Amino acid sequence: MIAALDLVPEQPMKEERRSPASMPDAFSFRLLATDGAARRGEIATAHGTVATPAFLPIGTQATVKGLAPEAVRASGADVVLANTYHLMLRPGAERIAALGGLHRFMNWPRAILTDSGGFQVMSLSELRKVEDKGVTFRSHLDGATVELSPERAIEVQNLLGSDIAMQLDECLQLPASHAELRRAMQLSLAWAERSKRAFERAPQGNALFAIVQGGDDTGLRLESARVLTDSGFHGYAIGGLAVGEPQQVMLRIIEAVAPALPAQRPRYLMGVGTPEDLVEAVARGIDMFDCVLPTRNGRHGVAFTRFGSINLKNARHAEDPRPIDESSACAAARDYSRAYLHHLVKANEMLGAILLTTINLNYYQELMAGMRAAITAGTFADFRAAAREGWARGDVTTS
């Protein structure tokens, strides 16, 4: 385990223009401790500090579905994710900028990371055309033609005023052929350089993260990581995982790529994942995560707990007076019976989705806080084993 230290920034790029790696601003990353490959750190932004490992609740359309910002913050979240593509279409980035920016618009005074819209290149594959210049979408709202280039993606994120912007990339569904993986990886590298040039006009204090692509091909991933780190960014993401490949493939890629990324920059695994995914990825050196699972599953009757997931739709909960977790610090997990939650879910009552989303986000944040404490104490291996034991035990009894 290493003691807290401020790490020396990377050397500026050889080019004369201002670059993300050399500009003085409000963004910084400080590595506080390590335990094996697991890392405990802090990201400083203009809207507060983000403790890492960190989980970002998904606020795609300037809202974490079902919860007020105060409830999201109360769960322990330091940062949320919003989406460039969706906010560009509705209500519009220019409108949000005119209203004071995304922080004011959604009443979230903490840090915001914006996804560039690259995931929609995959998820809306029937509605888009990918070319070297960028992506042309047919809007899922009204069918209008919308163009998203690396430059436009950065412009939109600047208008939103997010603290961390992501480059535009192409994310492929796996499995995919080597030729397709290489093509998408090279296109993403070209878009990263264009994103970086466009980001030179960003307000000081903002950060730009690059995205390592290459699918399940370790060689392509390492090539992508090398080019991006040579170029210099505030942070580095691993994209294009948890998109159809088995967990062991995802972990193999993380294990190969994380050590190839600069130790003095945050490492962000995009779109992941289950509680087990988070623990295993932290064990391999990842600092940041986002995923729809805790909010989406909460809306569909599933609670995440230290005893694994619980499907409240199941009839066995109809007469169960126990709470989800009687020792939880989260009131929703501690003060409502499983029978009542089952009733709310079956009756399709809004409160059921709200309570279960609250339970899930609190559990995810408790998991991240537990990992941070364990890394600081040098007991991460014990924490990892205890978490696995709890999930394997299941929710049959909490006594």
Side-chain angles (χ1 to χ4, degrees), residues 75 274-276 278-279 294 303-309 324-325 328 330 333 356-370 383 387-388 390-391:
S75 75
T274 66
E276 182 185 13
L278 303 187
V279 172
F304 287 104
T305 80
R306 59 195 174 101
F307 302 113
S309 61
I324 292 294
D325 186 349
S328 175
C330 172
L356 288 170
T357 299
T358 301
I359 290 168
N360 289 348
L361 283 186
N362 274 267
Y363 173 67
Y364 268 60
Q365 296 301 340
E366 289 171 7
L367 184 66
M368 306 313 289
F383 179 91
R388 286 171 165 172
W391 299 326

PDB file of all heavy atoms in Angstrom, residues 75 274-276 278-279 294 303-309 324-325 328 330 333 356-370 383 387-388 390-391:
ATOM      1  N   SER A  75     -27.530   9.188  -1.298  1.00  0.00           N
ATOM      2  CA  SER A  75     -27.047   7.811  -1.462  1.00  0.00           C
ATOM      3  C   SER A  75     -25.533   7.726  -1.355  1.00  0.00           C
ATOM      4  O   SER A  75     -24.977   6.641  -1.166  1.00  0.00           O
ATOM      5  CB  SER A  75     -27.501   7.241  -2.806  1.00  0.00           C
ATOM      6  OG  SER A  75     -26.745   7.788  -3.881  1.00  0.00           O
ATOM      7  N   THR A 274     -22.605  -5.242 -12.694  1.00  0.00           N
ATOM      8  CA  THR A 274     -23.142  -5.876 -11.493  1.00  0.00           C
ATOM      9  C   THR A 274     -22.222  -5.598 -10.305  1.00  0.00           C
ATOM     10  O   THR A 274     -21.053  -5.225 -10.495  1.00  0.00           O
ATOM     11  CB  THR A 274     -23.242  -7.388 -11.678  1.00  0.00           C
ATOM     12  OG1 THR A 274     -21.903  -7.927 -11.788  1.00  0.00           O
ATOM     13  CG2 THR A 274     -24.042  -7.755 -12.935  1.00  0.00           C
ATOM     14  N   PRO A 275     -22.717  -5.784  -9.076  1.00  0.00           N
ATOM     15  CA  PRO A 275     -21.814  -5.612  -7.930  1.00  0.00           C
ATOM     16  C   PRO A 275     -20.541  -6.455  -8.041  1.00  0.00           C
ATOM     17  O   PRO A 275     -19.445  -5.980  -7.718  1.00  0.00           O
ATOM     18  CB  PRO A 275     -22.680  -6.032  -6.739  1.00  0.00           C
ATOM     19  CG  PRO A 275     -24.065  -5.648  -7.162  1.00  0.00           C
ATOM     20  CD  PRO A 275     -24.122  -5.978  -8.634  1.00  0.00           C
ATOM     21  N   GLU A 276     -20.674  -7.687  -8.510  1.00  0.00           N
ATOM     22  CA  GLU A 276     -19.489  -8.528  -8.673  1.00  0.00           C
ATOM     23  C   GLU A 276     -18.542  -7.943  -9.714  1.00  0.00           C
ATOM     24  O   GLU A 276     -17.312  -7.930  -9.517  1.00  0.00           O
ATOM     25  CB  GLU A 276     -19.887  -9.942  -9.090  1.00  0.00           C
ATOM     26  CG  GLU A 276     -18.694 -10.884  -9.232  1.00  0.00           C
ATOM     27  CD  GLU A 276     -19.065 -12.253  -9.757  1.00  0.00           C
ATOM     28  OE1 GLU A 276     -20.199 -12.431 -10.249  1.00  0.00           O
ATOM     29  OE2 GLU A 276     -18.200 -13.151  -9.686  1.00  0.00           O
ATOM     30  N   LEU A 278     -18.094  -4.833 -10.403  1.00  0.00           N
ATOM     31  CA  LEU A 278     -17.422  -3.675  -9.821  1.00  0.00           C
ATOM     32  C   LEU A 278     -16.256  -4.099  -8.944  1.00  0.00           C
ATOM     33  O   LEU A 278     -15.147  -3.550  -9.045  1.00  0.00           O
ATOM     34  CB  LEU A 278     -18.403  -2.832  -9.006  1.00  0.00           C
ATOM     35  CG  LEU A 278     -19.650  -2.299  -9.722  1.00  0.00           C
ATOM     36  CD1 LEU A 278     -20.408  -1.344  -8.813  1.00  0.00           C
ATOM     37  CD2 LEU A 278     -19.306  -1.617 -11.022  1.00  0.00           C
ATOM     38  N   VAL A 279     -16.489  -5.063  -8.078  1.00  0.00           N
ATOM     39  CA  VAL A 279     -15.431  -5.520  -7.175  1.00  0.00           C
ATOM     40  C   VAL A 279     -14.274  -6.119  -7.967  1.00  0.00           C
ATOM     41  O   VAL A 279     -13.092  -5.834  -7.693  1.00  0.00           O
ATOM     42  CB  VAL A 279     -15.984  -6.527  -6.163  1.00  0.00           C
ATOM     43  CG1 VAL A 279     -14.860  -7.159  -5.342  1.00  0.00           C
ATOM     44  CG2 VAL A 279     -16.987  -5.851  -5.225  1.00  0.00           C
ATOM     45  N   PRO A 294     -28.629  -0.606 -11.438  1.00  0.00           N
ATOM     46  CA  PRO A 294     -29.323  -0.326 -10.179  1.00  0.00           C
ATOM     47  C   PRO A 294     -30.622   0.443 -10.358  1.00  0.00           C
ATOM     48  O   PRO A 294     -31.599   0.190  -9.635  1.00  0.00           O
ATOM     49  CB  PRO A 294     -28.295   0.470  -9.365  1.00  0.00           C
ATOM     50  CG  PRO A 294     -27.316   0.981 -10.356  1.00  0.00           C
ATOM     51  CD  PRO A 294     -27.278  -0.019 -11.467  1.00  0.00           C
ATOM     52  N   ALA A 303     -34.085  -5.786  -6.232  1.00  0.00           N
ATOM     53  CA  ALA A 303     -33.229  -5.079  -5.285  1.00  0.00           C
ATOM     54  C   ALA A 303     -31.848  -5.717  -5.267  1.00  0.00           C
ATOM     55  O   ALA A 303     -31.718  -6.950  -5.279  1.00  0.00           O
ATOM     56  CB  ALA A 303     -33.841  -5.119  -3.891  1.00  0.00           C
ATOM     57  N   PHE A 304     -30.810  -4.877  -5.217  1.00  0.00           N
ATOM     58  CA  PHE A 304     -29.443  -5.359  -5.013  1.00  0.00           C
ATOM     59  C   PHE A 304     -29.087  -5.190  -3.539  1.00  0.00           C
ATOM     60  O   PHE A 304     -29.328  -4.125  -2.948  1.00  0.00           O
ATOM     61  CB  PHE A 304     -28.452  -4.564  -5.873  1.00  0.00           C
ATOM     62  CG  PHE A 304     -28.520  -4.887  -7.333  1.00  0.00           C
ATOM     63  CD1 PHE A 304     -29.133  -4.025  -8.229  1.00  0.00           C
ATOM     64  CD2 PHE A 304     -27.969  -6.065  -7.827  1.00  0.00           C
ATOM     65  CE1 PHE A 304     -29.193  -4.316  -9.579  1.00  0.00           C
ATOM     66  CE2 PHE A 304     -28.018  -6.371  -9.173  1.00  0.00           C
ATOM     67  CZ  PHE A 304     -28.639  -5.500 -10.054  1.00  0.00           C
ATOM     68  N   THR A 305     -28.529  -6.253  -2.955  1.00  0.00           N
ATOM     69  CA  THR A 305     -28.201  -6.232  -1.538  1.00  0.00           C
ATOM     70  C   THR A 305     -26.888  -6.956  -1.305  1.00  0.00           C
ATOM     71  O   THR A 305     -26.342  -7.600  -2.207  1.00  0.00           O
ATOM     72  CB  THR A 305     -29.294  -6.936  -0.699  1.00  0.00           C
ATOM     73  OG1 THR A 305     -29.111  -8.359  -0.769  1.00  0.00           O
ATOM     74  CG2 THR A 305     -30.690  -6.598  -1.192  1.00  0.00           C
ATOM     75  N   ARG A 306     -26.398  -6.891  -0.064  1.00  0.00           N
ATOM     76  CA  ARG A 306     -25.170  -7.616   0.278  1.00  0.00           C
ATOM     77  C   ARG A 306     -25.395  -9.120   0.285  1.00  0.00           C
ATOM     78  O   ARG A 306     -24.437  -9.896   0.388  1.00  0.00           O
ATOM     79  CB  ARG A 306     -24.631  -7.142   1.627  1.00  0.00           C
ATOM     80  CG  ARG A 306     -25.569  -7.308   2.792  1.00  0.00           C
ATOM     81  CD  ARG A 306     -25.110  -6.480   3.990  1.00  0.00           C
ATOM     82  NE  ARG A 306     -26.077  -6.528   5.081  1.00  0.00           N
ATOM     83  CZ  ARG A 306     -25.944  -7.292   6.154  1.00  0.00           C
ATOM     84  NH1 ARG A 306     -24.891  -8.088   6.279  1.00  0.00           N
ATOM     85  NH2 ARG A 306     -26.857  -7.258   7.101  1.00  0.00           N
ATOM     86  N   PHE A 307     -26.655  -9.547   0.148  1.00  0.00           N
ATOM     87  CA  PHE A 307     -26.969 -10.971   0.037  1.00  0.00           C
ATOM     88  C   PHE A 307     -27.397 -11.331  -1.383  1.00  0.00           C
ATOM     89  O   PHE A 307     -28.113 -12.306  -1.595  1.00  0.00           O
ATOM     90  CB  PHE A 307     -28.072 -11.354   1.030  1.00  0.00           C
ATOM     91  CG  PHE A 307     -27.710 -11.045   2.449  1.00  0.00           C
ATOM     92  CD1 PHE A 307     -28.387 -10.069   3.152  1.00  0.00           C
ATOM     93  CD2 PHE A 307     -26.678 -11.727   3.082  1.00  0.00           C
ATOM     94  CE1 PHE A 307     -28.042  -9.767   4.463  1.00  0.00           C
ATOM     95  CE2 PHE A 307     -26.332 -11.439   4.386  1.00  0.00           C
ATOM     96  CZ  PHE A 307     -27.017 -10.451   5.082  1.00  0.00           C
ATOM     97  N   GLY A 308     -26.968 -10.545  -2.343  1.00  0.00           N
ATOM     98  CA  GLY A 308     -27.310 -10.806  -3.731  1.00  0.00           C
ATOM     99  C   GLY A 308     -28.560 -10.060  -4.151  1.00  0.00           C
ATOM    100  O   GLY A 308     -29.092  -9.211  -3.417  1.00  0.00           O
ATOM    101  N   SER A 309     -29.064 -10.367  -5.346  1.00  0.00           N
ATOM    102  CA  SER A 309     -30.256  -9.687  -5.851  1.00  0.00           C
ATOM    103  C   SER A 309     -31.516 -10.388  -5.371  1.00  0.00           C
ATOM    104  O   SER A 309     -31.539 -11.605  -5.173  1.00  0.00           O
ATOM    105  CB  SER A 309     -30.236  -9.627  -7.380  1.00  0.00           C
ATOM    106  OG  SER A 309     -30.222 -10.923  -7.933  1.00  0.00           O
ATOM    107  N   ILE A 324     -35.664  -5.553   3.494  1.00  0.00           N
ATOM    108  CA  ILE A 324     -34.613  -5.999   2.579  1.00  0.00           C
ATOM    109  C   ILE A 324     -33.324  -6.279   3.340  1.00  0.00           C
ATOM    110  O   ILE A 324     -32.663  -7.292   3.155  1.00  0.00           O
ATOM    111  CB  ILE A 324     -34.379  -4.948   1.476  1.00  0.00           C
ATOM    112  CG1 ILE A 324     -35.600  -4.860   0.548  1.00  0.00           C
ATOM    113  CG2 ILE A 324     -33.121  -5.264   0.670  1.00  0.00           C
ATOM    114  CD1 ILE A 324     -35.860  -6.114  -0.261  1.00  0.00           C
ATOM    115  N   ASP A 325     -32.957  -5.369   4.243  1.00  0.00           N
ATOM    116  CA  ASP A 325     -31.741  -5.534   5.053  1.00  0.00           C
ATOM    117  C   ASP A 325     -31.912  -4.717   6.333  1.00  0.00           C
ATOM    118  O   ASP A 325     -31.786  -3.491   6.316  1.00  0.00           O
ATOM    119  CB  ASP A 325     -30.512  -5.064   4.277  1.00  0.00           C
ATOM    120  CG  ASP A 325     -29.205  -5.356   5.009  1.00  0.00           C
ATOM    121  OD1 ASP A 325     -29.263  -5.725   6.196  1.00  0.00           O
ATOM    122  OD2 ASP A 325     -28.134  -5.195   4.390  1.00  0.00           O
ATOM    123  N   SER A 328     -29.187  -2.155   7.280  1.00  0.00           N
ATOM    124  CA  SER A 328     -28.757  -1.167   6.291  1.00  0.00           C
ATOM    125  C   SER A 328     -28.918   0.242   6.846  1.00  0.00           C
ATOM    126  O   SER A 328     -29.839   0.546   7.615  1.00  0.00           O
ATOM    127  CB  SER A 328     -29.586  -1.301   5.010  1.00  0.00           C
ATOM    128  OG  SER A 328     -29.260  -0.276   4.092  1.00  0.00           O
ATOM    129  N   CYS A 330     -29.694   2.564   4.882  1.00  0.00           N
ATOM    130  CA  CYS A 330     -30.706   3.110   3.981  1.00  0.00           C
ATOM    131  C   CYS A 330     -32.093   2.814   4.550  1.00  0.00           C
ATOM    132  O   CYS A 330     -32.473   1.651   4.727  1.00  0.00           O
ATOM    133  CB  CYS A 330     -30.564   2.488   2.592  1.00  0.00           C
ATOM    134  SG  CYS A 330     -31.881   2.906   1.442  1.00  0.00           S
ATOM    135  N   ALA A 333     -34.350   0.363   2.649  1.00  0.00           N
ATOM    136  CA  ALA A 333     -33.989  -1.051   2.797  1.00  0.00           C
ATOM    137  C   ALA A 333     -34.317  -1.575   4.179  1.00  0.00           C
ATOM    138  O   ALA A 333     -34.543  -2.771   4.358  1.00  0.00           O
ATOM    139  CB  ALA A 333     -32.504  -1.243   2.507  1.00  0.00           C
ATOM    140  N   LEU A 356     -37.173   0.941  -4.504  1.00  0.00           N
ATOM    141  CA  LEU A 356     -36.178  -0.041  -4.941  1.00  0.00           C
ATOM    142  C   LEU A 356     -34.991   0.633  -5.630  1.00  0.00           C
ATOM    143  O   LEU A 356     -33.847   0.190  -5.469  1.00  0.00           O
ATOM    144  CB  LEU A 356     -36.821  -1.081  -5.852  1.00  0.00           C
ATOM    145  CG  LEU A 356     -37.756  -2.057  -5.121  1.00  0.00           C
ATOM    146  CD1 LEU A 356     -38.539  -2.906  -6.116  1.00  0.00           C
ATOM    147  CD2 LEU A 356     -36.971  -2.947  -4.167  1.00  0.00           C
ATOM    148  N   THR A 357     -35.236   1.702  -6.379  1.00  0.00           N
ATOM    149  CA  THR A 357     -34.126   2.457  -6.953  1.00  0.00           C
ATOM    150  C   THR A 357     -33.274   3.063  -5.849  1.00  0.00           C
ATOM    151  O   THR A 357     -32.036   3.049  -5.916  1.00  0.00           O
ATOM    152  CB  THR A 357     -34.659   3.560  -7.887  1.00  0.00           C
ATOM    153  OG1 THR A 357     -35.401   2.961  -8.955  1.00  0.00           O
ATOM    154  CG2 THR A 357     -33.521   4.374  -8.475  1.00  0.00           C
ATOM    155  N   THR A 358     -33.927   3.581  -4.823  1.00  0.00           N
ATOM    156  CA  THR A 358     -33.196   4.139  -3.682  1.00  0.00           C
ATOM    157  C   THR A 358     -32.351   3.077  -3.002  1.00  0.00           C
ATOM    158  O   THR A 358     -31.170   3.299  -2.685  1.00  0.00           O
ATOM    159  CB  THR A 358     -34.190   4.738  -2.667  1.00  0.00           C
ATOM    160  OG1 THR A 358     -34.972   5.756  -3.313  1.00  0.00           O
ATOM    161  CG2 THR A 358     -33.461   5.342  -1.472  1.00  0.00           C
ATOM    162  N   ILE A 359     -32.934   1.912  -2.780  1.00  0.00           N
ATOM    163  CA  ILE A 359     -32.207   0.799  -2.158  1.00  0.00           C
ATOM    164  C   ILE A 359     -30.990   0.432  -2.991  1.00  0.00           C
ATOM    165  O   ILE A 359     -29.877   0.250  -2.467  1.00  0.00           O
ATOM    166  CB  ILE A 359     -33.140  -0.415  -1.978  1.00  0.00           C
ATOM    167  CG1 ILE A 359     -34.178  -0.131  -0.884  1.00  0.00           C
ATOM    168  CG2 ILE A 359     -32.352  -1.684  -1.663  1.00  0.00           C
ATOM    169  CD1 ILE A 359     -35.311  -1.148  -0.839  1.00  0.00           C
ATOM    170  N   ASN A 360     -31.177   0.346  -4.296  1.00  0.00           N
ATOM    171  CA  ASN A 360     -30.093  -0.103  -5.168  1.00  0.00           C
ATOM    172  C   ASN A 360     -28.946   0.908  -5.244  1.00  0.00           C
ATOM    173  O   ASN A 360     -27.770   0.534  -5.164  1.00  0.00           O
ATOM    174  CB  ASN A 360     -30.635  -0.390  -6.567  1.00  0.00           C
ATOM    175  CG  ASN A 360     -31.498  -1.631  -6.606  1.00  0.00           C
ATOM    176  OD1 ASN A 360     -31.526  -2.410  -5.649  1.00  0.00           O
ATOM    177  ND2 ASN A 360     -32.213  -1.840  -7.690  1.00  0.00           N
ATOM    178  N   LEU A 361     -29.284   2.180  -5.403  1.00  0.00           N
ATOM    179  CA  LEU A 361     -28.216   3.179  -5.475  1.00  0.00           C
ATOM    180  C   LEU A 361     -27.471   3.273  -4.148  1.00  0.00           C
ATOM    181  O   LEU A 361     -26.245   3.440  -4.123  1.00  0.00           O
ATOM    182  CB  LEU A 361     -28.780   4.541  -5.860  1.00  0.00           C
ATOM    183  CG  LEU A 361     -29.135   4.739  -7.334  1.00  0.00           C
ATOM    184  CD1 LEU A 361     -29.551   6.172  -7.603  1.00  0.00           C
ATOM    185  CD2 LEU A 361     -27.977   4.360  -8.254  1.00  0.00           C
ATOM    186  N   ASN A 362     -28.190   3.163  -3.041  1.00  0.00           N
ATOM    187  CA  ASN A 362     -27.523   3.176  -1.743  1.00  0.00           C
ATOM    188  C   ASN A 362     -26.602   1.970  -1.594  1.00  0.00           C
ATOM    189  O   ASN A 362     -25.485   2.096  -1.077  1.00  0.00           O
ATOM    190  CB  ASN A 362     -28.545   3.220  -0.609  1.00  0.00           C
ATOM    191  CG  ASN A 362     -28.988   4.627  -0.273  1.00  0.00           C
ATOM    192  OD1 ASN A 362     -28.423   5.277   0.598  1.00  0.00           O
ATOM    193  ND2 ASN A 362     -30.000   5.111  -0.979  1.00  0.00           N
ATOM    194  N   TYR A 363     -27.057   0.798  -2.044  1.00  0.00           N
ATOM    195  CA  TYR A 363     -26.193  -0.379  -1.925  1.00  0.00           C
ATOM    196  C   TYR A 363     -24.935  -0.215  -2.785  1.00  0.00           C
ATOM    197  O   TYR A 363     -23.827  -0.523  -2.337  1.00  0.00           O
ATOM    198  CB  TYR A 363     -26.922  -1.665  -2.317  1.00  0.00           C
ATOM    199  CG  TYR A 363     -25.967  -2.838  -2.350  1.00  0.00           C
ATOM    200  CD1 TYR A 363     -25.390  -3.294  -1.166  1.00  0.00           C
ATOM    201  CD2 TYR A 363     -25.579  -3.433  -3.537  1.00  0.00           C
ATOM    202  CE1 TYR A 363     -24.467  -4.326  -1.168  1.00  0.00           C
ATOM    203  CE2 TYR A 363     -24.663  -4.462  -3.559  1.00  0.00           C
ATOM    204  CZ  TYR A 363     -24.105  -4.912  -2.376  1.00  0.00           C
ATOM    205  OH  TYR A 363     -23.180  -5.925  -2.389  1.00  0.00           O
ATOM    206  N   TYR A 364     -25.102   0.264  -4.005  1.00  0.00           N
ATOM    207  CA  TYR A 364     -23.929   0.463  -4.869  1.00  0.00           C
ATOM    208  C   TYR A 364     -22.949   1.441  -4.244  1.00  0.00           C
ATOM    209  O   TYR A 364     -21.729   1.228  -4.273  1.00  0.00           O
ATOM    210  CB  TYR A 364     -24.372   0.962  -6.250  1.00  0.00           C
ATOM    211  CG  TYR A 364     -24.600  -0.135  -7.268  1.00  0.00           C
ATOM    212  CD1 TYR A 364     -25.549  -1.133  -7.052  1.00  0.00           C
ATOM    213  CD2 TYR A 364     -23.866  -0.188  -8.444  1.00  0.00           C
ATOM    214  CE1 TYR A 364     -25.768  -2.136  -7.982  1.00  0.00           C
ATOM    215  CE2 TYR A 364     -24.072  -1.191  -9.389  1.00  0.00           C
ATOM    216  CZ  TYR A 364     -25.019  -2.163  -9.146  1.00  0.00           C
ATOM    217  OH  TYR A 364     -25.217  -3.163 -10.067  1.00  0.00           O
ATOM    218  N   GLN A 365     -23.464   2.534  -3.668  1.00  0.00           N
ATOM    219  CA  GLN A 365     -22.560   3.503  -3.058  1.00  0.00           C
ATOM    220  C   GLN A 365     -21.926   2.956  -1.784  1.00  0.00           C
ATOM    221  O   GLN A 365     -20.748   3.234  -1.494  1.00  0.00           O
ATOM    222  CB  GLN A 365     -23.304   4.812  -2.771  1.00  0.00           C
ATOM    223  CG  GLN A 365     -23.815   5.533  -4.019  1.00  0.00           C
ATOM    224  CD  GLN A 365     -22.720   5.916  -5.004  1.00  0.00           C
ATOM    225  OE1 GLN A 365     -21.540   5.991  -4.654  1.00  0.00           O
ATOM    226  NE2 GLN A 365     -23.098   6.152  -6.258  1.00  0.00           N
ATOM    227  N   GLU A 366     -22.668   2.152  -1.005  1.00  0.00           N
ATOM    228  CA  GLU A 366     -22.083   1.497   0.166  1.00  0.00           C
ATOM    229  C   GLU A 366     -20.974   0.538  -0.247  1.00  0.00           C
ATOM    230  O   GLU A 366     -19.933   0.437   0.419  1.00  0.00           O
ATOM    231  CB  GLU A 366     -23.163   0.735   0.934  1.00  0.00           C
ATOM    232  CG  GLU A 366     -24.158   1.617   1.677  1.00  0.00           C
ATOM    233  CD  GLU A 366     -25.329   0.820   2.227  1.00  0.00           C
ATOM    234  OE1 GLU A 366     -25.294  -0.438   2.148  1.00  0.00           O
ATOM    235  OE2 GLU A 366     -26.282   1.441   2.729  1.00  0.00           O
ATOM    236  N   LEU A 367     -21.185  -0.158  -1.367  1.00  0.00           N
ATOM    237  CA  LEU A 367     -20.168  -1.070  -1.875  1.00  0.00           C
ATOM    238  C   LEU A 367     -18.904  -0.312  -2.256  1.00  0.00           C
ATOM    239  O   LEU A 367     -17.783  -0.738  -1.927  1.00  0.00           O
ATOM    240  CB  LEU A 367     -20.718  -1.832  -3.084  1.00  0.00           C
ATOM    241  CG  LEU A 367     -19.824  -2.907  -3.705  1.00  0.00           C
ATOM    242  CD1 LEU A 367     -19.603  -4.060  -2.728  1.00  0.00           C
ATOM    243  CD2 LEU A 367     -20.443  -3.431  -5.008  1.00  0.00           C
ATOM    244  N   MET A 368     -19.065   0.840  -2.930  1.00  0.00           N
ATOM    245  CA  MET A 368     -17.898   1.628  -3.318  1.00  0.00           C
ATOM    246  C   MET A 368     -17.182   2.177  -2.082  1.00  0.00           C
ATOM    247  O   MET A 368     -15.941   2.144  -2.001  1.00  0.00           O
ATOM    248  CB  MET A 368     -18.302   2.792  -4.229  1.00  0.00           C
ATOM    249  CG  MET A 368     -19.119   2.407  -5.463  1.00  0.00           C
ATOM    250  SD  MET A 368     -18.482   1.006  -6.408  1.00  0.00           S
ATOM    251  CE  MET A 368     -17.027   1.725  -7.144  1.00  0.00           C
ATOM    252  N   ALA A 369     -17.952   2.662  -1.111  1.00  0.00           N
ATOM    253  CA  ALA A 369     -17.344   3.189   0.114  1.00  0.00           C
ATOM    254  C   ALA A 369     -16.602   2.088   0.868  1.00  0.00           C
ATOM    255  O   ALA A 369     -15.516   2.319   1.426  1.00  0.00           O
ATOM    256  CB  ALA A 369     -18.418   3.812   1.009  1.00  0.00           C
ATOM    257  N   GLY A 370     -17.168   0.888   0.882  1.00  0.00           N
ATOM    258  CA  GLY A 370     -16.495  -0.238   1.531  1.00  0.00           C
ATOM    259  C   GLY A 370     -15.191  -0.582   0.857  1.00  0.00           C
ATOM    260  O   GLY A 370     -14.185  -0.880   1.534  1.00  0.00           O
ATOM    261  N   PHE A 383     -12.120  -7.866   2.036  1.00  0.00           N
ATOM    262  CA  PHE A 383     -13.400  -7.279   1.655  1.00  0.00           C
ATOM    263  C   PHE A 383     -13.990  -8.016   0.453  1.00  0.00           C
ATOM    264  O   PHE A 383     -15.186  -8.312   0.428  1.00  0.00           O
ATOM    265  CB  PHE A 383     -13.211  -5.805   1.316  1.00  0.00           C
ATOM    266  CG  PHE A 383     -14.482  -5.112   0.892  1.00  0.00           C
ATOM    267  CD1 PHE A 383     -15.285  -4.491   1.829  1.00  0.00           C
ATOM    268  CD2 PHE A 383     -14.870  -5.095  -0.445  1.00  0.00           C
ATOM    269  CE1 PHE A 383     -16.471  -3.865   1.451  1.00  0.00           C
ATOM    270  CE2 PHE A 383     -16.053  -4.476  -0.836  1.00  0.00           C
ATOM    271  CZ  PHE A 383     -16.854  -3.862   0.117  1.00  0.00           C
ATOM    272  N   ALA A 387     -17.525 -10.029   0.450  1.00  0.00           N
ATOM    273  CA  ALA A 387     -18.597  -9.678  -0.472  1.00  0.00           C
ATOM    274  C   ALA A 387     -19.066 -10.903  -1.244  1.00  0.00           C
ATOM    275  O   ALA A 387     -20.274 -11.148  -1.370  1.00  0.00           O
ATOM    276  CB  ALA A 387     -18.125  -8.586  -1.438  1.00  0.00           C
ATOM    277  N   ARG A 388     -18.134 -11.679  -1.725  1.00  0.00           N
ATOM    278  CA  ARG A 388     -18.497 -12.913  -2.447  1.00  0.00           C
ATOM    279  C   ARG A 388     -19.274 -13.865  -1.556  1.00  0.00           C
ATOM    280  O   ARG A 388     -20.252 -14.491  -1.982  1.00  0.00           O
ATOM    281  CB  ARG A 388     -17.218 -13.595  -2.954  1.00  0.00           C
ATOM    282  CG  ARG A 388     -16.543 -12.925  -4.131  1.00  0.00           C
ATOM    283  CD  ARG A 388     -15.195 -13.574  -4.358  1.00  0.00           C
ATOM    284  NE  ARG A 388     -14.603 -13.273  -5.638  1.00  0.00           N
ATOM    285  CZ  ARG A 388     -13.370 -13.619  -5.977  1.00  0.00           C
ATOM    286  NH1 ARG A 388     -12.606 -14.297  -5.115  1.00  0.00           N
ATOM    287  NH2 ARG A 388     -12.874 -13.312  -7.161  1.00  0.00           N
ATOM    288  N   GLY A 390     -21.169 -13.135   1.002  1.00  0.00           N
ATOM    289  CA  GLY A 390     -22.518 -12.625   1.208  1.00  0.00           C
ATOM    290  C   GLY A 390     -23.420 -12.887   0.021  1.00  0.00           C
ATOM    291  O   GLY A 390     -24.569 -13.295   0.167  1.00  0.00           O
ATOM    292  N   TRP A 391     -22.908 -12.619  -1.205  1.00  0.00           N
ATOM    293  CA  TRP A 391     -23.712 -12.868  -2.395  1.00  0.00           C
ATOM    294  C   TRP A 391     -24.051 -14.340  -2.533  1.00  0.00           C
ATOM    295  O   TRP A 391     -25.168 -14.707  -2.921  1.00  0.00           O
ATOM    296  CB  TRP A 391     -22.981 -12.390  -3.648  1.00  0.00           C
ATOM    297  CG  TRP A 391     -22.681 -10.920  -3.654  1.00  0.00           C
ATOM    298  CD1 TRP A 391     -23.446  -9.922  -3.114  1.00  0.00           C
ATOM    299  CD2 TRP A 391     -21.529 -10.282  -4.196  1.00  0.00           C
ATOM    300  NE1 TRP A 391     -22.850  -8.706  -3.307  1.00  0.00           N
ATOM    301  CE2 TRP A 391     -21.666  -8.893  -3.972  1.00  0.00           C
ATOM    302  CE3 TRP A 391     -20.395 -10.735  -4.870  1.00  0.00           C
ATOM    303  CZ2 TRP A 391     -20.705  -7.958  -4.388  1.00  0.00           C
ATOM    304  CZ3 TRP A 391     -19.438  -9.814  -5.285  1.00  0.00           C
ATOM    305  CH2 TRP A 391     -19.596  -8.441  -5.053  1.00  0.00           C
TER     306      TRP A 391
END
